[in-house]
Amino acid sequence: MLGWALTFLVVALIAGALGFGGIAGASAGIAQIIFVLFLILFAVAMIARAVRGKPPV
């Protein structure tokens, strides 16, 4: 999932450099949404692991 966020970020940077503002804005927005979703799922996984009694790696 983090790979997808980085991919959309790269697409946004390239599109912005080439002057495609609409595509750059959309790609940046998608990258932000995917990154926040990744952070939420990561936090949930760490909390679930802590509740089960396993120490973090």
Side-chain angles (χ1 to χ4, degrees):
M1 184 176 296
L2 193 55
W4 281 103
L6 291 175
T7 301
F8 277 107
L9 177 63
V10 169
V11 169
L13 290 174
I14 293 172
L18 295 176
F20 297 108
I23 295 172
S27 295
I30 292 170
Q32 286 177 337
I33 291 170
I34 293 174
F35 183 71
V36 169
L37 183 62
F38 167 78
L39 288 178
I40 291 170
L41 291 175
F42 180 74
V44 168
M46 290 296 107
I47 292 170
R49 186 173 177 91
V51 168
R52 286 187 294 194
K54 296 181 180 177
V57 175

